Amino acid sequence: MNLNDALRAVRDRRGARVPAAMLETLDRATAELTASGQADRALGAGARAPRFALPSATGRTVTLDGLLAEGPVVLTFYRGAWCPFCNLALRALQQRQADFAARGALLVAVSPQIPDESLSVAEKNRLSFDVLSDLGSDVAKQYGLAFDVPEDVAAVYQRLRFDMPRVNGGHPRTLPMTATYVIGQDATIRWSFVDADYTRRAEPDDVLTALDALPPRPGAG
């Protein structure tokens, strides 16, 4: 079973724990975000990757420039520890971490959560890669991924006890669309996956294919 098959299985089971009216609200908001075309306007292949300097779950400051000095970067945006689809996607990436490393690539995940929540995500999912905090989704905005959650969706999250005001450091209404980027060492985005539907994610095998297609670094070999 690939990642998106597993994600669909999780989606199909939502009705067992989430009332139908809530699911209708969530699905309607996803359809509206999809129809807005924002995913198509987000940064994609060929664009320059915006620089960032973000705190890791362990308190270090991680910069894109520092990562690119070591190798190409796989940058993935997720919503938070409260999102079962995000946790499943992060675990799927962790399972292929050795394959990323074999290609010289560094994997890093970014969410709008505070560092303590990032640490919880890393520990819960046994992640060996950096998990960074993008409070206020400032970096996600630069990539064209950030959007404001509608009030009715925020109310659903509150009823489901997703404490977004706390875990997002006072920025409860802004989330990133799901996205994964392969960034070459020249800071150019070489491959991207962006989707307004949070139940769909980049397949790790597709990320590996994109890494294999990277041009050689200037001066290498």
Side-chain angles (χ1 to χ4, degrees):
M1 180 183 294
N2 64 24
L3 172 58
N4 280 285
D5 287 338
L7 290 168
R8 279 190 291 272
V10 172
R11 179 186 173 93
D12 291 344
R13 292 196 298 268
R14 292 184 305 167
R17 58 185 180 82
V18 180
M22 291 186 183
L23 289 179
E24 182 180 352
T25 297
L26 297 176
D27 290 344
R28 182 175 64 252
T30 298
E32 290 173 352
L33 183 59
T34 300
S36 76
Q38 182 177 344
D40 296 328
R41 297 189 298 272
L43 292 187
R48 189 80 172 173
R51 288 184 169 94
F52 60 74
L54 295 172
S56 74
T58 57
R60 295 183 301 111
T61 296
V62 176
T63 68
L64 180 60
D65 286 346
L67 294 169
L68 291 175
E70 299 183 42
V73 170
V74 177
L75 173 65
T76 190
F77 289 84
Y78 72 101
R79 304 193 306 161
W82 49 270
C83 171
F85 301 94
C86 297
N87 289 312
L88 184 56
L90 291 172
R91 289 194 295 271
L93 289 170
Q94 176 62 43
Q95 290 172 0
R96 307 305 297 273
Q97 171 73 327
D99 296 321
F100 297 138
R103 290 160 172 80
L106 289 83
L107 173 62
V108 62
V110 176
S111 86
Q113 297 187 119
I114 59 177
D116 280 352
E117 290 299 313
S118 297
L119 182 60
S120 296
V121 166
E123 292 177 343
K124 174 183 176 181
N125 295 295
R126 300 182 180 180
L127 306 180
S128 61
F129 52 87
D130 278 320
V131 182
L132 309 181
S133 294
D134 178 26
L135 293 182
S137 295
D138 290 338
V139 173
K141 290 173 185 175
Q142 294 180 62
Y143 282 79
L145 304 173
F147 68 98
D148 289 334
V149 173
E151 290 186 7
D152 55 352
V153 172
V156 168
Y157 290 157
Q158 184 175 7
R159 290 181 64 188
L160 292 173
R161 299 184 179 179
F162 299 158
D163 190 1
M164 292 177 62
R166 181 184 66 81
V167 301
N168 285 5
H171 302 276
R173 294 282 301 280
T174 305
L175 292 176
M177 291 185 292
T178 60
T180 299
Y181 293 97
V182 171
I183 304 172
Q185 287 190 268
D186 61 354
T188 299
I189 296 172
R190 298 293 180 176
W191 180 89
S192 66
F193 172 96
V194 181
D195 203 314
D197 186 343
Y198 61 88
T199 69
R200 296 196 290 257
R201 306 296 166 111
E203 288 289 346
D205 282 344
D206 292 339
V207 177
L208 292 169
T209 297
L211 287 170
D212 288 337
L214 287 177
R217 185 180 183 184

